[in-house]
Amino acid sequence: MLGIQFKEVGKALFTRGLVSSHSGNLSVRLNDEKMLITRRGSQLGVLSDQDLIETGIVKNDLQTPLASVELPVHRAILQHTNAGAIVHAHPPHAIALSMTETEIVSEQAEHYELGKIPVLGWNQDTRPGCLSEEVAEALKTHKIVLVHGHGSFATGQILEEAYKYTAALEEVCQVLWLVKSLRKAR
């Protein structure tokens, strides 16, 4: 069942252009101690059962080295929020706007019940695995956050919910991008 959810959401993210061939990662909370996360370097668009790694939310085990490079961020989110699932993606319009905005504000975002979407990591190291605590803290009060020039992290009770927020963020950013372009054309 979980494997099917991972495969469906991974394929949807890839098909919609929210991740490239080997970018992005997914995870779900299995219980208070264990999580399932995509394998380091996996292709979300064509996930197999071997791409799903069970490891500890707090403790390392033999599977930990196989997990996504974003494992520290996923762990922090699961440790500090009640999230059941996490989607980390690289939506292009959202990333572009994260390089010029400190938060994404739109009436359209309100329609999706996203509120103001913070952009974290200005003047900080935003490489994969960094900003774990900042992302987790922000996700206590937001459904999705952006990391400056890097990508988004969304939470939900199931992967499909976190995917919904990711797709909505990119749609909001596409509209904002178009509005900004139209204003410049005048």
Side-chain angles (χ1 to χ4, degrees), residues 56-76:
I57 292 175
V58 176
K59 296 181 180 179
N60 290 337
D61 56 31
L62 293 176
Q63 297 299 307
T64 303
L66 301 174
S68 165
V69 295
E70 293 285 6
L71 177 64
V73 181
H74 286 257
R75 280 179 163 172

Side-chain angles (χ1 to χ4, degrees), residues 10-83:
K11 185 174 183 177
L13 285 163
F14 179 75
T15 301
R16 291 209 42 188
L18 301 173
V19 296
S20 60
S21 68
H22 290 79
S23 72
N25 35 74
L26 311 170
S27 71
V28 296
R29 180 190 307 269
L30 296 175
N31 56 44
D32 290 340
E33 296 178 6
K34 291 287 189 176
M35 65 187 291
L36 199 60
I37 188 168
T38 47
R39 181 181 52 79
R40 182 179 301 248
S42 62
Q43 296 182 60
L44 296 189
V46 290
L47 287 173
S48 68
D49 291 340
Q50 292 74 29
D51 290 318
L52 306 180
I53 307 300
E54 184 176 325
T55 191
I57 292 175
V58 176
K59 296 181 180 179
N60 290 337
D61 56 31
L62 293 176
Q63 297 299 307
T64 303
L66 301 174
S68 165
V69 295
E70 293 285 6
L71 177 64
V73 181
H74 286 257
R75 280 179 163 172
I77 294 167
L78 293 175
Q79 289 168 18
H80 299 295
T81 72
N82 66 353

Side-chain angles (χ1 to χ4, degrees), residues 123-144:
N123 301 315
Q124 293 179 286
D125 186 353
T126 59
R127 287 177 294 163
C130 295
L131 298 177
S132 301
E133 297 303 317
E134 293 90 337
V135 170
E137 186 64 30
L139 286 169
K140 289 179 179 178
T141 56
H142 296 85
K143 297 173 181 173
I144 190 165

Side-chain angles (χ1 to χ4, degrees), residues 125-183:
D125 186 353
T126 59
R127 287 177 294 163
C130 295
L131 298 177
S132 301
E133 297 303 317
E134 293 90 337
V135 170
E137 186 64 30
L139 286 169
K140 289 179 179 178
T141 56
H142 296 85
K143 297 173 181 173
I144 190 165
V145 299
L146 271 167
V147 174
H148 173 75
H150 177 74
S152 62
F153 286 90
T155 60
Q157 289 309 301
I158 59 174
L159 283 171
E160 185 177 344
E161 182 183 7
Y163 166 72
K164 175 179 77 171
Y165 299 137
T166 304
L169 169 66
E170 179 62 3
E171 183 178 319
V172 165
C173 290
Q174 286 174 345
V175 171
L176 286 172
W177 183 274
L178 290 169
V179 169
K180 286 175 181 273
S181 298
L182 289 171
R183 286 185 182 146

